Amino acid sequence: MAFDGLFTFAMANELKKLETGRITKVHQPNALEIVLHIRAKGGNFKLLSSIHPSYARVHLTQHSIDNPSEPPMFCMLLRKHIEGGFIHTIETDPFERIITLNIESKNEIGDQVFRKLTIEIMGRHSNIVLIDSENNKILDSLKHLPPSINSYRTVLPGQIYITPPEQNKVNPLTVSDEEIKNFFNEEKTTKEIVEHFKGFSPTHANELLYRLQGENEVQSFRSFLDEIVNSESPTYIEMDRKIYFSPTKLTHLDGTVTSYETLSILLDRTFYARAERDRVKQQAGDLERWLQNELNKLKLKIKKLNKDLEQASKLDKFQLYGELLMASLYSFEKGMKEVTVTNYYSETGEQITIPLSERKTPVENAQSYYSKYNKAKNALIMVKDQLEKTEGEIQYFEMLMAQVNQASPADIEEIREELAEQGYLRLRASKKKKKPTKPSPESFVSSTGVAISVGKNNKQNDYLTFKLAKKTDIWLHTKDIPGSHVVIHSSEPDETTLLEAAALSAYFSKARDSSSVPVDYTEIRQVKKPNGAKPGFVIYFEQKTLYVTPDEELVMKLKS
């Protein structure tokens, strides 16, 4: 990946359209992200800033992110100082990974005040800082840095804001033609370019070197920089399971290339699913661990039950021993350790040696085997019943685990509620009473305009299949694989819609990373819920099967 100084400069240029815009809302979905809702030039925009150590970025987003019921303190402070304010300018120190929003707002008594919201995109050192423009003092920041952690600068409320230390590199925009010629007079390495010019990551340094081969150094350098500054072709590349992105084409990489209209759409595609999964991990880490522990316990129980089943399966032998002893009562007596008798039930009439208890009479030994037979018969019934129940539990928890792995933060709470209703978990006590709400399956629209709904957990699955959908709608589910219920809201969908819905079913299943995933489809009227079945479990008839490969790009495209 390459959110370097070059990318930051290009992104700042793209965000210029927000200048003169009004900040209408401020949200903080979690400890690492801030979302500003901005009304600018007749349009509504959402500016996402993240200081995630792996996904630090700033860009416009088209996605909605769930917010906590009570906003964090930093969010409240931002609302106080910049909500309702106007963005005068958006600035960046050329090719440094810092973007600053200069905001004109009003204080509690209506006086005009000026604030700076500075977003530092520096990997694990990223931060968002609110500054009083008049005295350059920090009002607060998303991450605090006391002197004990950073001796160069202190990032705490009341401290003077100091920018991160300069790297004393050459600005590629202001460098002269002569300097470019002199620098590239000898063959250069990626490291030398990164160390000499501001804003270059190894990815962009490699691209520049590739373009310089046999070409005019000055012309190629200027041309490459112009493409970056103007975001000529926002590009996303997957190669050898690694991801690369840039404001321009990366011709030195030979991978799967996708081009986008803007840098923001590019970053939404690159980070949304990863960041969403990270948000879920923050919210559902304890739930995931609990489910895994329950699965481990159930799998251990299956092993023990299989041993018991093996033991109980010997009941035929106990019955045979009892009957043979009763038929041969006069051939042995009390005190014997064993007796050899003829097996009358065998065609060959072979001899069988039967262990005896020395303390019991012949009749008592026979009755002892009959007693063992009856116990084993009852145990066999119980063990088979327990095995069936335990296997059902394993199937249920594996389905929940798959749902947690693909859930959005909003879906997690519904999974917790379901487990509480089933008696597995106790919900955390909440100060506020929650109003009961209907489950909200995720909505999609096919390329031909047909509505498709996807249940992301069992509550949504049951609601979608048995309440929301019509009897003539088409229902889809991955064949013998845990996954979501998918419904096409049409009785006669076209082939494109059917294939796209099948792709959604495969994507929202345990087989997300597989290819040629089997997906069954049938009418809703053919889907039934057995009596006493757990949430999400159904049986269905008259199905046909499609084979599709999950496609994240298609899922993003179909999302309504």
Side-chain angles (χ1 to χ4, degrees), residues 304-456:
K304 290 178 179 176
L305 285 171
N306 279 325
K307 283 184 181 177
D308 293 343
L309 183 66
E310 189 181 338
Q311 199 65 28
S313 299
K314 295 176 181 176
L315 60 90
D316 290 338
K317 185 171 76 172
F318 296 145
Q319 184 183 25
L320 176 65
Y321 284 2
E323 290 181 355
L324 291 178
L325 288 178
M326 285 301 288
S328 311
L329 285 174
Y330 300 104
S331 62
F332 64 101
E333 57 189 26
K334 187 177 180 179
M336 292 175 63
K337 290 183 179 180
E338 59 182 33
V339 63
T340 301
V341 298
T342 302
N343 184 0
Y344 300 110
Y345 295 96
S346 171
E347 292 178 3
T348 55
E350 75 271 7
Q351 299 289 299
I352 291 181
T353 300
I354 302 173
L356 300 171
S357 171
E358 297 174 58
R359 296 179 181 179
K360 292 178 180 175
T361 64
V363 172
E364 287 171 340
N365 268 299
Q367 287 174 341
S368 173
Y369 277 112
Y370 279 130
S371 177
K372 284 181 182 178
Y373 164 71
N374 286 324
K375 280 183 183 176
K377 187 167 70 171
N378 293 332
L380 190 63
I381 295 167
M382 287 175 64
V383 168
K384 283 182 176 176
D385 184 52
Q386 283 293 310
L387 266 173
E388 192 178 331
K389 284 181 181 175
T390 307
E391 282 165 356
E393 296 261 282
I394 287 175
Q395 193 179 350
Y396 177 59
F397 282 122
E398 282 181 342
M399 179 168 64
L400 287 176
M401 184 66 92
Q403 289 172 359
V404 168
N405 286 335
Q406 295 169 10
S408 68
D411 301 326
I412 294 297
E413 204 52 44
E414 288 182 337
I415 294 173
R416 288 187 195 276
E417 287 171 12
E418 178 191 328
L419 284 165
E421 287 165 10
Q422 294 293 308
Y424 292 109
L425 278 181
R426 288 179 65 186
L427 284 178
R428 299 164 185 161
S430 177
K431 293 176 185 176
K432 293 183 181 178
K433 281 193 175 180
K434 272 185 73 179
K435 292 180 182 177
T437 55
K438 287 181 183 177
S440 301
E442 198 157 347
S443 299
F444 296 84
V445 178
S446 75
S447 301
T448 54
V450 181
I452 303 169
S453 295
V454 177
K456 300 286 289 297

Side-chain angles (χ1 to χ4, degrees), residues 44-114:
N44 293 313
F45 303 92
K46 284 183 282 188
L47 180 65
L48 169 67
S49 304
S50 171
I51 63 165
H52 190 285
S54 302
Y55 313 134
R57 65 203 188 280
V58 55
H59 63 93
L60 298 173
T61 182
Q62 296 174 345
H63 295 287
S64 296
I65 304 171
D66 296 311
N67 296 300
S69 54
E70 293 183 12
M73 289 300 294
F74 187 65
C75 179
M76 296 292 283
L77 185 86
L78 289 179
R79 287 178 181 178
K80 175 185 172 183
H81 286 278
I82 66 171
E83 196 168 78
F86 291 88
I87 300 172
H88 262 299
T89 55
I90 294 176
E91 299 173 346
T92 180
D93 185 359
F95 307 111
E96 294 291 347
R97 289 176 293 167
I98 300 172
I99 292 177
T100 299
L101 278 63
N102 293 302
I103 302 162
E104 177 191 336
S105 189
K106 289 185 178 178
N107 60 19
E108 297 93 329
I109 57 174
D111 292 338
Q112 189 181 56
V113 292
F114 293 93

Side-chain angles (χ1 to χ4, degrees), residues 175-199:
V175 66
S176 67
D177 292 353
E178 194 64 36
E179 285 176 288
I180 294 170
K181 282 180 184 176
N182 289 338
F183 179 75
F184 288 107
N185 194 34
E186 296 177 4
E187 192 173 324
K188 297 297 179 183
T189 64
T190 302
K191 186 180 178 184
E192 285 173 317
I193 291 176
V194 170
E195 289 176 349
H196 187 75
F197 291 109
K198 270 187 176 184

